[in-house]
Amino acid sequence: METDDRTNRWAIHGDPARLTEAAAALRGARAEHIFGTRFPGEYVMSGIARLLDSLAREMRDNDTLSHDVVSAATEMSGHVLAYLPRIEKQR
């Protein structure tokens, strides 16, 4: 749960390389294999890739992200890396 009280927030050390790897996988994937069409899937994938790259950079450089943000980004990158190759293989 997110709070405005900075004393109750804490950052954890995630793996920014994993987020960067997931972002690269999204950029290299074909949107039509995942969404059935190129548009708007290409924009969704590009946006998520940019978000993961930005979060990875924050994790490396500032280490100020909250537990919830790092946890969500780590979970998202895990899903991308686990399921994107499977989806692409089916096509």
Side-chain angles (χ1 to χ4, degrees), residues 16-63:
R18 188 166 173 82
L19 274 64
T20 303
E21 180 183 359
L26 284 168
R27 285 191 180 92
R30 297 183 57 153
E32 57 270 19
H33 288 178
I34 296 159
F35 293 98
T37 62
R38 185 171 172 200
F39 300 105
E42 188 174 84
Y43 296 113
V44 171
M45 292 166 59
S46 173
I48 292 172
R50 287 182 60 205
L51 178 64
L52 289 173
D53 277 337
S54 296
L55 292 171
R57 187 172 33 260
E58 279 296 311
M59 288 167 66
R60 276 191 305 271
D61 298 345
N62 299 323
D63 198 29

